[in-house]
Amino acid sequence: GESVGLHLPTLSVQEGDNSIINCAYSNSASDYFIWYKQESGKGPQFIIDIRSNMDKRQGQRVTVLLNKTVKHLSLQIAATQPGDSAVYFCAEPTPNFNKFYFGSGTKLNVKP
Amino acid sequence: GAGVSQSPRYKVAKRGQDVALRCDPISGHVSLFWYQQALGQGPEFLTYFQNEAQLDKSGLPSDRFFAERPEGSVSTLKIQRTQQEDSAVYLCASSRGQGATDTQYFGPGTRLTVL
């Protein structure tokens, strides 16, 4: 399944399928991006980050892709598991690089 | 420490009461941030400390909100004369680097309910 971020806040996928969560960012000068996972009742948990000198970065079952041309970020989760059910946020620095801006997130539901 | 800790985890206050929320960042982290998170929304920035200096408080919604980090470690967010609209989860995060140049690690949050 694929999400377009703020325009489709909920993504439902079957267990075992791959998930793609998208995020559009606004500041072309942003040079660092972070993906967070937030489970119900918990604080956001760091998943993976990427700097603007990279197009792709892989972690354990997760891959982040960065397309600076269209200012787009995506998080790919391989073989989605029930434990992946959460809200996912991308974060980008504000123009003064003093703080991060978080979108409203995408909720991922994994169906068994 | 192993991670960012916050206390209390839950706080119920009557409208008009003052509350104090505590954050213990990861040891050695220079930067500390407070965020407010409403139900179904992403974290909204409140304020940022670099060591003991409060460099950005542009997100504090009113002068009823006050934050401090006197020794550059533990921080306290104080809300005076609480209102119902202050009900939210208050998140604290810390990072090794300055500002938005490094990964922020979050605590579990304090859920504030104002009756």
Side-chain angles (χ1 to χ4, degrees):
Chain A
E2 188 164 342
S3 160
V4 290
L6 296 180
H7 300 290
L8 189 65
T10 301
L11 173 66
S12 293
V13 299
Q14 205 68 38
E15 181 179 357
D17 286 353
N18 296 333
S19 302
I20 300 176
I21 300 171
N22 295 304
C23 181
Y25 64 92
S26 56
N27 182 9
S28 58
S30 292
D31 63 353
Y32 183 57
F33 303 88
I34 308 176
W35 279 101
Y36 286 95
K37 170 187 179 184
Q38 187 173 27
E39 297 174 275
S40 181
K42 297 183 179 180
Q45 176 188 359
F46 170 83
I47 302 174
I48 192 168
D49 58 3
I50 189 167
R51 297 207 177 262
S52 59
N53 61 351
M54 304 172 72
D55 297 324
K56 177 179 179 179
R57 189 168 188 211
Q58 288 186 295
Q60 187 176 12
R61 282 200 307 117
V62 295
T63 301
V64 55
L65 299 178
L66 175 61
N67 185 330
K68 295 179 283 292
T69 303
V70 294
K71 294 189 286 188
H72 183 268
L73 203 62
S74 69
L75 177 70
Q76 301 179 359
I77 304 173
T80 314
Q81 301 169 359
D84 296 326
S85 293
V87 177
Y88 290 81
F89 297 98
C90 65
E92 67 165 308
T94 53
N96 64 1
F97 292 91
N98 224 13
K99 50 189 175 278
F100 282 97
Y101 169 75
F102 291 79
S104 59
T106 298
K107 184 175 182 179
L108 177 64
N109 287 327
V110 181
K111 296 177 286 186
Chain B
V4 179
S5 60
Q6 293 185 245
S7 61
R9 289 294 317 278
Y10 304 91
K11 177 69 179 178
V12 178
K14 291 182 179 178
R15 188 160 56 93
Q17 282 185 330
D18 297 348
V19 298
L21 313 180
R22 177 187 169 108
C23 172
D24 284 80
I26 294 173
S27 178
H29 277 198
V30 166
S31 297
L32 186 145
F33 303 80
W34 283 99
Y35 292 86
Q36 182 188 61
Q37 186 174 29
L39 191 63
Q41 300 293 318
E44 293 277 350
F45 170 82
L46 292 176
T47 187
Y48 158 53
F49 289 87
Q50 184 178 312
N51 296 308
E52 69 279 2
Q54 189 174 22
L55 297 188
D56 189 338
K57 54 181 181 179
S58 61
L60 296 176
S62 77
D63 58 8
R64 296 185 295 105
F65 286 70
F66 172 76
E68 59 183 3
R69 194 187 185 198
E71 297 178 1
S73 178
V74 171
S75 177
T76 304
L77 176 67
K78 298 178 179 177
I79 308 173
Q80 297 176 322
R81 304 180 304 281
T82 52
Q83 303 294 314
Q84 285 188 322
E85 61 263 27
D86 300 334
S87 295
V89 174
Y90 291 86
L91 294 164
C92 175
S94 70
S95 68
R96 189 165 28 203
Q98 299 175 9
T101 62
D102 203 353
T103 304
Q104 294 184 9
Y105 295 92
F106 282 83
T110 295
R111 181 176 295 277
L112 173 65
T113 302
V114 182
L115 303 176

